[in-house]
Amino acid sequence: MPSFNLNQIAANMKRLRALKGVTIGQIAGKTGISYEVLTRLEKGTETKIAPSTINLLAQYFEITTEQLEGSSAVERYLVTGGRKIDLSDYSEAELTEIENFMVFLRWRRAEEKRVREQEASEREQQRAQREAAKSVKSFTERLALLGPNI
């Protein structure tokens, strides 16, 4: 049985699953690979894996087995905004840290957006309350002009 870089497969599987927005259960259902094997594989605790399992996962994610294993040079680069960042000299632990930091940045961006939207909503409510107060004041002033005979 050929040996695979299971740590790299685990990291790639986690990343690909997040990109595709699927659960381990969904992958198990589509590929026939057991949920337990997929869980151990993604956690990096699986000690042996059959080539057929690698092939099924690569087919599911629509990539080559080399890309799943991370042996493709393309997988060792982060390309964004016209920049190509070489990741080949980072350890798997460092790559996981980078990935976790990117997840944190996305969370922080979403949280900042949520706060901005909440503040905008509160400002809109305050504006609406001021407008309502002006309308009531205007109505009572017009009512006062008509005099007490009403």
Side-chain angles (χ1 to χ4, degrees):
M1 182 177 280
S3 68
F4 299 104
N5 183 342
L6 296 177
N7 289 332
Q8 186 63 45
I9 291 171
N12 284 337
M13 185 176 151
K14 186 183 295 184
R15 180 182 55 79
L16 290 164
R17 192 168 67 78
L19 285 172
K20 200 164 185 165
V22 294
T23 65
I24 291 176
Q26 289 171 316
I27 297 171
K30 293 284 186 180
T31 63
I33 303 168
S34 80
Y35 180 88
E36 293 77 16
V37 167
L38 289 171
T39 300
R40 287 192 308 267
L41 183 59
E42 188 171 290
K43 287 182 178 179
T45 58
E46 185 68 31
T47 56
K48 294 180 184 174
I49 188 164
S52 59
T53 302
I54 297 295
N55 287 333
L56 286 169
L57 285 172
Q59 287 172 4
Y60 178 81
F61 289 115
E62 299 174 338
I63 59 173
T64 66
T65 56
E66 290 81 15
Q67 288 171 319
L68 182 61
E69 290 181 81
S71 57
S72 166
V74 174
E75 288 297 316
R76 303 305 283 178
Y77 288 92
L78 174 65
V79 180
T80 180
R83 293 184 307 181
K84 182 177 179 183
I85 302 167
D86 183 4
L87 300 176
S88 60
D89 61 337
Y90 290 96
S91 70
E92 292 306 314
E94 290 170 326
L95 290 171
T96 300
E97 264 187 74
I98 291 167
E99 185 178 10
N100 290 339
F101 185 67
M102 291 170 66
V103 169
F104 164 75
L105 289 175
R106 284 187 203 105
W107 171 84
R108 188 176 72 182
R109 186 182 329 134
E111 185 65 17
E112 289 170 348
K113 180 181 177 188
R114 186 192 63 76
V115 168
R116 281 192 311 272
E117 288 172 350
Q118 183 178 357
E119 289 171 347
S121 175
E122 288 171 359
R123 282 192 303 273
E124 179 58 29
Q125 287 176 351
Q126 290 171 352
R127 187 198 62 74
Q129 288 171 350
R130 283 192 306 272
E131 289 298 317
K134 284 180 187 177
S135 296
V136 169
K137 183 178 177 184
S138 174
F139 176 74
T140 56
E141 287 173 347
R142 286 183 293 189
L143 195 58
L145 288 174
L146 293 174
N149 297 335
I150 299 180

